[in-house]
Amino acid sequence: MRRGQASALFYCLLSHSSHSIRCLENRYDTIHLSKKYDNSRCWRLSDRVFTYASDTFIKREVRPNERWLNLWGEPITAPWSAERLQNEAATLQFISEHTTIPVPKVMSFEKIWGSYQLVVERIDGIRLNALEDDEEALKIATKFITTSVLPQLRELKSPTIGSLMGIVILPPRAKPFLPHKEKSWPAKTSFEPEYSFCHNDLSLDNILIDPYTREVKAIIDWEYSGFYPPGFEAPLWTMRPARQEYYALGAPEIQCLVDFLSDPDAVSFQSHN
């Protein structure tokens, strides 16, 4: 699939709507306004609200009236919130059509009351990070990632760097290397298809496994995915985020990429290096 086809797919998903989903959305808003979140069904971060329904998982942007405030009473906004969710919706469909990597099926993607909402099928599994010190589970997941996930992603090539939405949004681990806060760049196109598809946040939290068999059920959270240099996919699943070394993984590649993106005359990442 070419980038233009992916964009067309995104707008097709955006135009799809569901009455049942809207009913659920109304219920979630009521839960939020009453501040009675049920932690087993619904929870939130500064820029996202997550909800489990009987057979779906819903991930949406927070609305302006739901934003948390900082110490100065100003609304807290996350960079590129809408673009990241748009990218995930398009990527899930893209990956399901071009690989055998298990990902949640997209049920709908639409804009409701000014915020984007992604609805996917619910996957019965637990995050790998929940199984502390389970070496067998980590061994199985590592083998699956290195022998199935990464080889398939590397086969997806493009001459244009960046997300399927046409912009470059680097993952959180790149923040210390950014020249400016909340930095993003327009996509660059080289002469050859030198970029491979990367998940860019392939951590223990984003690998769902069967708690009994330890088999991988799905790879989730593709908000920062896109076409990048092959070495940019850091092995984040090999350690927990609490360890300081986690944020140093892939540091040289990040610095090289930031330098390349910041150079207005650089066209090819390979020639830049």
Side-chain angles (χ1 to χ4, degrees):
M1 177 185 287
R2 297 183 181 276
R3 190 177 299 271
Q5 293 175 306
S7 297
L9 172 63
F10 160 69
Y11 288 110
C12 179
L13 288 170
L14 180 59
S15 64
H16 178 73
S17 62
S18 167
H19 174 71
S20 61
I21 296 303
R22 290 182 185 276
C23 291
L24 286 170
E25 180 70 15
N26 292 336
R27 181 168 66 85
Y28 302 151
D29 191 62
T30 301
I31 292 174
H32 172 76
L33 293 176
S34 63
K35 298 183 179 180
K36 293 182 179 179
Y37 279 108
D38 178 356
N39 291 331
S40 65
R41 306 288 292 179
C42 185
W43 71 100
R44 66 163 292 178
L45 299 175
S46 62
D47 64 334
R48 294 284 184 265
V49 175
F50 307 92
T51 307
Y52 277 115
S54 59
D55 56 356
T56 60
F57 176 72
I58 302 172
K59 180 180 187 180
R60 69 168 175 84
E61 294 182 275
V62 297
R63 304 188 185 99
N65 66 322
E66 297 174 327
R67 289 174 182 163
W68 291 334
L69 304 179
N70 60 22
L71 295 176
W72 297 272
E74 301 167 335
I76 298 175
T77 58
W80 313 108
S81 176
E83 291 84 352
R84 287 188 280 112
L85 201 54
Q86 292 170 19
N87 186 50
E88 180 167 19
T91 297
L92 288 175
Q93 193 72 25
F94 178 72
I95 293 298
S96 67
E97 291 181 355
H98 295 277
T99 75
T100 61
I101 298 171
V103 295
K105 179 182 178 181
V106 176
M107 309 302 290
S108 70
F109 183 69
E110 55 188 332
K111 198 169 188 178
I112 300 178
W113 299 334
S115 66
Y116 285 109
Q117 174 179 277
L118 172 63
V119 182
V120 300
E121 66 173 335
R122 178 170 177 170
I123 304 294
D124 290 327
I126 62 174
R127 296 174 187 266
L128 184 55
N129 196 37
L131 296 180
E132 295 186 11
D133 303 321
D134 190 327
E135 295 299 327
E136 182 63 21
L138 182 58
K139 181 179 178 180
I140 293 174
T142 297
K143 181 179 180 180
F144 182 76
I145 291 170
T146 56
T147 62
S148 180
V149 176
L150 295 183
Q152 291 189 74
L153 291 181
R154 290 176 184 139
E155 288 297 315
L156 302 175
K157 299 283 190 177
S158 175
T160 303
I161 193 170
S163 70
L164 294 179
M165 306 315 298
I167 58 175
V168 178
I169 303 176
L170 298 184
R173 61 190 176 88
K175 187 175 181 179
F177 302 89
L178 301 183
H180 303 290
K181 185 179 180 181
E182 302 181 5
K183 178 68 176 178
S184 180
W185 295 267
K188 287 187 175 186
T189 300
S190 65
F191 302 107
E192 300 291 337
E194 60 179 290
Y195 305 112
S196 298
F197 206 81
C198 298
H199 181 285
N200 277 339
D201 194 14
L202 199 50
S203 65
L204 296 172
D205 270 340
N206 294 328
I207 303 171
L208 293 185
I209 66 170
D210 186 305
Y212 302 104
T213 67
R214 303 298 194 265
E215 297 297 323
V216 175
K217 298 293 293 290
I219 304 298
I220 62 173
D221 202 354
W222 295 77
E223 290 192 13
Y224 293 97
S225 64
F227 291 98
Y228 293 91
F232 195 64
E233 188 79 87
L236 303 181
W237 68 90
T238 61
M239 63 178 65
R240 301 188 184 281
R243 296 179 58 178
Q244 185 176 359
E245 297 90 340
Y246 176 89
Y247 296 97
L249 288 172
E253 289 80 5
I254 295 175
Q255 186 62 66
C256 287
L257 185 58
V258 169
D259 292 343
F260 165 66
L261 293 170
S262 302
D263 184 350
D265 298 323
V267 176
S268 171
F269 182 79
Q270 292 179 349
S271 61
H272 179 79
N273 290 331

